[in-house]
Amino acid sequence: MYDFQTVHTRRNTDSIKWDWLNEVYTVKHGEEILPMWVADMDFALPAFIEDALVERIRGGVFGYSFPGDTASQSVIDWVAKRHGTTIEKDWLLYESGVIPSMSLAIETFTEPGDRVLVHGPVYPPFRNTPANLKREVVTFSLTESSGEYSIDFDKFEAALVDSISAFIFCNPHNPGGKVWSREDVKRIADLCAKHNVLLISDEIHADLVFAPHKHTTALSVAESTDHIITCMAPTKTFNLAGLQAAYMIVTDATKRAKLKESAMNAAHMGMTVLGTTAMRAAYEHGEAWVDELLGQLQHNMNYVADRLHEEVPGVLVPMPEATYLLWIDYRKLGITEKDMMHALLHEGKLALEPGTKYGPEGDGFLRMNVACPFETVKDGVERFITAVNTVK
C-alpha cells in the first residue's frame, strides 16, 4: 500500500500550480484559492524514486552526464510491459520535456509558413508551439456528444490533404480523457503516411489509462513507422515534471540524425542527471505504484461525478478513460465562461481551467485535476458547488 492520502504543503515552494495564481488568474487573493488546474499531482514521490535520488545526490559530483544503457533499458522494458510495443535503444532520443520534443520536431521537419494540423479541443501548446515557430496552425474539430469525443475521418483526411506538413496527435486525449481505439490510431497513422504528413504522437498520458481501456502506441499499429515521432515521458505518471525527463522514439535513422543535429544547433542538453535517475527508478520499480494510483484517481473521479450530479443538476462529468483530468460540462446551466470563472475564483476560491483555453470547442467546459488526496478533492467539490450556486 502506498500513501495517496497525506496532504503535502506546496505553497511557498515556487510551485507554478500553487504560487502563481495571482499572476495567472489576475487576482490578489491567490493564497485563498485551491488550485486544481495545472496537470501535476499533489502526491509525494514514492520511496523507491526518492531513495534513488538521495543515493545519487550523496555521490556528490554532478558533472555533465548522459542517459546510459541501463536507463535506456528501463525505457525499453517499460514500453514493452505497459504498452506491448518493442523498441530499440538506438531509437531513443532524450529531451527535457514532451513539448520541447514537439518543438524540436516541428523546427527540424517543417519550415516557417508550413501548415501544422491539430485537433480541437486540445492542450494549448499544441497550437502555441507551432504558432510561435511561425507555422500556420490548422484545426479540425473532434466530434463531441455529451463530452464524449470521436474522429470524423472524412474531415480528418480532407484536412490532411490541404498542404499539411505535420499532425500533432494527442493520444490519450487531453483534456477529454479519450483513449483512442486501436482502429483509430492505425487509421490516423496510415492516413498520415498516405499523405506524407509527419505524425508527432504525444503519448505522455499513456500510463494513466483506466481498465478495461488500453493505450495503443502509434508505433505498434502503423504500416510504416518512418513518418512517426513518438513523444513519451515518466513525468505525468510519477509527478516528475520539475526534474525534466522525456524521450522521443524515432525509428527512422535519417530523422534521428536530423533531430540530433537540430538539438545540437539549439544547444539542447537533454535530460538532467537527476531526471535520468528518477526515470530509471520509476520504470524499474513503479508498476505496482501506478496500478494503485489509478485506483485512487478512479475513486476521486467517481466522487466528483456523483456529488456534482446530486448537488448541481445540469452539470455533466463524463468519466475519462485516461489521465487524471475531468472535463466538466456545464453548458446546460446557461452560464458564460466569464461568469463561471469569476464565481469559481471569487466565490468558491477554486482555480480550474476554462475550456476555451483548449480552443473554441471547449466553451462550456472546465478542466479539473483530481490527482490529489481525497480530502483535497472533497474541498474542491464543495468550493465548486458554492461557486455555481452564486450564478445559477
Side-chain angles (χ1 to χ4, degrees):
M1 294 287 291
Y2 295 98
D3 178 15
F4 295 105
Q5 302 309 326
T6 298
V7 177
H8 299 272
T9 300
R10 297 187 64 193
R11 291 198 194 275
N12 302 315
T13 63
D14 299 328
S15 162
I16 290 176
K17 181 177 182 180
W18 287 83
D19 295 328
W20 262 12
L21 291 163
N22 287 345
E23 292 81 358
V24 173
Y25 288 94
T26 319
V27 295
K28 296 181 179 179
H29 59 283
E31 71 284 352
E32 300 175 4
I33 294 174
L34 177 66
M36 300 181 79
W37 62 296
V38 169
D40 71 8
M41 297 193 282
D42 289 330
F43 303 126
L45 284 180
F48 52 83
I49 298 179
E50 183 178 339
D51 290 346
L53 289 169
V54 169
E55 181 179 356
R56 185 63 184 81
I57 289 169
R58 284 177 175 163
V61 179
F62 298 94
Y64 295 114
S65 64
F66 64 96
D69 289 347
T70 306
S72 294
Q73 192 61 50
S74 73
V75 174
I76 292 167
D77 292 343
W78 183 266
V79 174
K81 285 186 295 184
R82 299 299 287 196
H83 308 301
T85 302
T86 300
I87 61 175
E88 299 178 11
K89 183 184 73 171
D90 290 345
W91 297 354
L92 293 169
L93 299 176
Y94 293 99
E95 266 292 342
S96 60
V98 162
I99 299 305
S101 299
M102 181 189 304
S103 176
L104 186 68
I106 292 168
E107 199 156 22
T108 302
F109 299 112
T110 70
E111 299 293 333
D114 281 0
R115 292 161 64 82
V116 175
L117 184 67
V118 302
H119 51 69
V122 77
Y123 183 52
F126 278 42
R127 289 187 173 93
N128 301 342
T129 302
N132 291 340
L133 294 171
K134 309 305 180 186
R135 275 59 172 177
E136 180 183 352
V137 179
V138 179
T139 304
F140 82 94
S141 297
L142 297 171
T143 301
E144 181 269 326
S145 177
S146 299
E148 297 289 335
Y149 290 95
S150 60
I151 296 169
D152 182 329
F153 278 98
D154 290 335
K155 183 190 297 183
F156 175 63
E157 187 166 14
L160 282 180
V161 301
D162 191 13
S163 302
I164 296 297
S165 297
F167 169 53
I168 310 175
F169 180 34
C170 196
N171 176 32
H173 180 237
N174 173 14
K178 174 72 174 180
V179 175
W180 303 110
S181 71
R182 185 177 182 86
E183 294 73 22
D184 285 344
V185 177
K186 177 173 174 52
R187 198 166 177 186
I188 285 170
D190 291 347
L191 283 171
C192 286
K194 175 183 175 181
H195 296 292
N196 196 31
V197 172
L198 178 69
L199 174 57
I200 303 172
S201 186
D202 168 21
E203 303 187 17
I204 195 170
H205 288 102
D207 300 324
L208 301 172
V209 172
F210 303 107
H213 305 285
K214 292 184 180 297
H215 175 70
T216 301
T217 64
L219 290 173
S220 67
V221 293
E223 293 289 340
S224 167
T225 60
D226 288 352
H227 67 298
I228 299 174
I229 295 175
T230 303
C231 303
M232 302 184 84
T235 49
K236 294 297 180 198
T237 313
F238 296 95
N239 209 34
L240 303 175
L243 290 177
Q244 299 186 324
Y247 50 92
M248 291 178 278
I249 306 171
V250 187
T251 64
D252 180 67
T254 301
K255 282 188 173 57
R256 289 198 305 273
K258 288 181 178 179
L259 285 164
K260 288 178 181 178
E261 181 181 9
S262 293
M264 183 176 294
N265 291 342
H268 285 215
M269 299 301 292
M271 296 200 304
T272 67
V273 63
L274 295 183
T276 302
T277 300
M279 181 186 74
R280 177 183 167 188
Y283 282 167
E284 289 181 346
H285 306 292
E287 282 203 274
W289 187 87
V290 173
D291 291 342
E292 196 167 319
L293 167 69
L294 290 170
Q296 181 64 50
L297 296 176
Q298 192 77 74
H299 177 262
N300 289 354
M301 289 175 169
N302 288 338
Y303 175 81
V304 176
D306 292 344
R307 188 94 171 90
L308 293 186
H309 177 74
E310 293 171 0
E311 298 293 334
V312 193
V315 168
L316 302 177
V317 186
M319 278 296 100
E321 299 168 352
T323 80
Y324 46 71
L325 307 165
L326 290 173
W327 190 231
I328 299 172
D329 180 354
Y330 66 93
R331 290 173 294 181
K332 290 184 179 179
L333 298 182
I335 301 171
T336 67
E337 182 173 272
K338 180 179 178 181
D339 288 344
M340 175 62 85
M341 290 304 298
H342 186 274
L344 287 169
L345 292 168
H346 297 278
E347 304 298 335
K349 307 292 195 302
L350 177 66
L352 303 183
E353 294 228 285
T356 57
K357 184 174 180 178
Y358 299 82
E361 303 90 348
D363 193 18
F365 290 85
L366 297 161
R367 197 187 77 164
M368 173 186 275
N369 174 0
V370 297
C372 49
F374 185 57
E375 179 180 330
T376 304
V377 173
K378 289 193 292 183
D379 185 13
V381 169
E382 294 307 315
R383 290 168 183 250
F384 185 94
I385 294 168
T386 296
V388 172
N389 282 337
T390 67
V391 290
K392 279 201 307 183

